[in-house]
Each structure stands twice: as C-alpha cells, then as structure tokens.
C-alpha cells in the first residue's frame, strides 16, 4: 500500500506489451498538385514462436505466402538465441498484400502466433518515371540505426533522391498501442490506454517538377544515354530532370531478387547513376 506507485509501475511492465505502429509517409506532388508518389497498404508478417502449437497449419501458410516450415524453423532457432525471443514478434516475411492478410486472418485458429503490422510502401501514380528524382525506399542499415535514436530495426527509409533528402519530413511519427500479456509474455487481449497514440502521417512535399514535361522528355531520351534538365532561369526552379537510362521504381517496392539487383549494378549503361548530377558533360546549344 505504501509503495503503490512503485509496484504498480513494475506490474505494468510485466503485464502490458507496447506495439509500435508505423506512420504513412507523406505524399509527393508535382508543381500542379498531381500526386507522383502515394502510399498503399502492405504488411510485415511476424510470428511469436512460443505460440506455435501442434495444430499449426504449415501447408496453409505455404500455400498463400510461399513460406515453408524450414523458414519457420529457422526463425524458431533464431528466437532461442535472443533474450525472451520466443515471446517476441519476429519478422517472417515482408510485403504481404492486403488481400493475403485478410485471407490468412480468416484462418487464425490454424495459424496461431502469426500477426501483421503495416509498413510504409509506395505506389507510383504518375505516367512519368522520375526514377532518379524520387529515389526509392529500403530497409534501414546498421550504421543509420546506430546513428539515430528515432528508428527501429527493420524500419523502411528513403535511400536515394527526394525520399532520402527529405526523409525526416516524409517519414511521419510512430503510433503506439498496448496489449495485455500473461506472465510468459503471451498476448491475451488489447489494452485500452490513455497512452495510446495514433501514427501521424509525414509531411507532404510539392516539387517544382512538371510531370507532363517530365514525361515528354523521358520519351525523348528513350534508349538514349544522357541527361536533360529544364530550369526556370529566373528563379532556379527545376521543371524537369531526366537521366537515362533509368530503372523501374515499382520494382523496388518489395525485396529485389539478388540476380535482378546484380544485373542493374553490373549494367554497363549504369542505370543507377544520375547523370544530371553525378557526371560531367559539355553543355548542349541553348
């Protein structure tokens, strides 16, 4: 009774499990307020290995996600080398679409221990590619994780272009929700708390790019190596910036097969190089 506050705090830590909610990234628009990049719902599939029982339906999970029993066994082995790992949600597969998530949730009793968390994923809504302007997202690397306290392991971050340059503005703020767990750390139910926070979407960004002019110039440079920049000389606004050849940004939404990435990296035409800012050329006639 006398030490109520002290023991209540200790009790809460043993019975309440916080879960981080990822925030949608900000939308990127062109100068005419036409969306270039938006969000679409994709999910991480995670597993709490302690909750896997004898009735877990491995065949059902493999049928809809291609995750086989050997992959689950490897996560189980990993969990045994992490303090309390058997009771922590561990990543099993990234980028599950909404349709598959809903389908699997219909079989919760057959897939005990499986749950989903939403993650930032992009959809490209414009007719122009804007490959080197927009850049792409990828999983955070160890160095960035060490240097910043604002990120969690497995976070998705901007890795190039506008997505990288304006990462802080675009990423938004985490939300948090709480679950009741038993003494073994197993989730029992949702816990309604005044400390719940809804995720806050990142700031939207409006570029000076004109998507119609960008598309026109991209077509001009189709199958040609080079770069074209269109600038307003009165104020320095970049109306269009094209580097060719490029690559398909939509192929970076999910994990890229190693073979595909090697092809891009080893391509003699250097599609990853932004010729507008990473190379030097004699200027064309004005």
């Amino acid at each position: 009774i006398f030490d109520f506050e002290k023991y209540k705090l200790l009790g809460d830590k043993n019975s309440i499990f916080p879960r981080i909610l990822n925030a949608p990234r900000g939308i990127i628009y062109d100068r005419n307020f036409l969306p270039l990049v938006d969000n679409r719902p994709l999910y991480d599939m995670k597993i709490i290995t302690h909750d896997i029982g004898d009735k877990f339906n491995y065949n059902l999970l493999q049928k809809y996600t291609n995750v086989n029993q050997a992959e689950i066994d490897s996560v189980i082995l990993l969990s045994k080398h992490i303090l309390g790992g058997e009771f922590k949600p561990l990543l099993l597969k990234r980028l599950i679409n909404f349709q598959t998530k809903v389908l699997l949730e219909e079989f919760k009793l057959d897939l005990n221990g499986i749950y989903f968390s939403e993650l930032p994923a992009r959809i490209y809504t414009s007719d122009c590619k804007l490959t080197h302007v927009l850049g792409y997202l990828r999983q955070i690397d160890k160095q960035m994780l060490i240097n910043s306290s604002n990120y969690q392991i497995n976070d998705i971050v901007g890795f190039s272009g506008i997505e990288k340059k304006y990462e802080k503005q675009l990423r938004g703020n985490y939300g948090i929700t709480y679950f009741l767990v038993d003494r073994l750390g197993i989730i029992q139910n949702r816990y309604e708390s005044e400390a719940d926070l809804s995720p806050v979407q990142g700031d939207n960004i409006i570029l000076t790019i004109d998507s119609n002019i960008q598309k026109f110039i991209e077509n001009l440079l189709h199958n040609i190596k080079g770069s074209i920049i269109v600038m307003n000389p009165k104020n320095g606004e970049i109306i269009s910036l094209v580097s060719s050849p490029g690559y398909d940004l939509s192929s970076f939404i999910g994990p890229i097969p190693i073979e595909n990435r090697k092809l891009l990296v080893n391509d003699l035409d250097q599609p990853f190089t932004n010729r507008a800012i990473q190379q030097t050329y004699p200027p064309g006639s004005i």
Side-chain angles (χ1 to χ4, degrees), residues 2-157:
F2 290 110
D3 293 321
F4 170 76
E5 292 297 332
K6 171 185 174 182
Y7 287 108
K8 181 178 185 300
L9 181 62
L10 290 173
D12 285 348
K13 287 183 177 178
N14 283 330
S15 62
I16 299 173
F17 170 73
R19 180 182 293 177
I20 298 296
L21 304 174
N22 289 313
R25 290 178 73 83
I27 300 170
I28 302 175
Y29 295 92
D30 82 344
R31 67 186 300 115
N32 301 310
F33 299 97
L34 298 174
L36 303 171
V37 184
D38 205 336
N39 300 300
R40 74 174 185 182
L42 288 176
Y43 301 86
D44 278 344
M45 182 170 67
K46 298 182 179 181
I47 189 165
I48 299 175
T49 61
H50 181 273
D51 293 349
I52 299 175
D54 296 334
K55 295 181 180 179
F56 191 90
N57 194 329
Y58 294 96
N59 292 330
L60 180 67
L61 190 66
Q62 184 172 359
K63 177 180 178 181
Y64 293 111
T65 66
N66 292 322
V67 174
N68 57 40
Q69 185 170 349
E71 292 174 273
I72 296 175
D73 288 342
S74 68
V75 176
I76 293 174
L77 182 63
L78 173 65
S79 71
K80 293 178 180 178
H81 292 88
I82 300 173
L83 183 63
E86 294 176 81
F87 308 111
K88 295 179 179 179
L90 299 177
L91 183 65
L92 190 57
K93 184 172 181 177
R94 303 216 84 148
L95 302 164
I96 300 293
N97 62 39
F98 180 73
Q99 291 78 9
T100 303
K101 170 184 177 288
V102 170
L103 182 63
L104 292 176
E105 286 184 335
E106 293 291 323
F107 297 100
K108 270 193 172 182
L109 296 178
D110 298 301
L111 299 171
N112 196 33
I114 295 288
Y115 85 90
F116 300 90
S117 61
E118 189 168 345
L119 77 158
R122 293 306 219 178
I123 183 171
Y124 300 96
T125 56
S126 174
D127 291 335
C128 55
K129 294 179 180 179
L130 282 161
T131 305
H132 297 91
V133 173
L134 297 174
Y136 61 91
L137 309 177
R138 76 173 221 180
Q139 186 170 320
I140 191 170
D141 56 35
K142 290 182 180 178
Q143 192 59 45
M144 189 174 181
L145 197 59
I146 292 170
N147 294 337
S148 176
S149 60
N150 297 323
Y151 290 94
Q152 305 283 331
I153 191 168
N154 294 324
D155 270 357
I156 303 296
V157 297

Side-chain angles (χ1 to χ4, degrees), residues 115 121 174 176 181 184 192 219 250:
Y115 85 90
Y174 296 117
I176 189 167
V181 296
L184 297 175
E192 299 292 341
N219 290 335
S250 61

Side-chain angles (χ1 to χ4, degrees), residues 179-190:
F179 292 86
L180 289 172
V181 296
D182 63 17
R183 63 186 181 85
L184 297 175
I186 300 172
I187 293 175
Q188 300 296 316
N189 209 341
R190 173 78 189 281

Side-chain angles (χ1 to χ4, degrees), residues 9 14 24 35 38 48 51 54 85 101 119 121 134 148 162 167 192 202 204-205 207 216 235 238 245 259 264 274 286:
L9 181 62
N14 283 330
D38 205 336
I48 299 175
D51 293 349
D54 296 334
K101 170 184 177 288
L119 77 158
L134 297 174
S148 176
I162 294 294
E167 165 67 17
E192 299 292 341
N204 297 332
I205 287 181
L207 306 182
F216 173 76
N235 56 20
I238 303 298
E259 296 77 14
L264 287 171
N274 184 349
I286 58 171

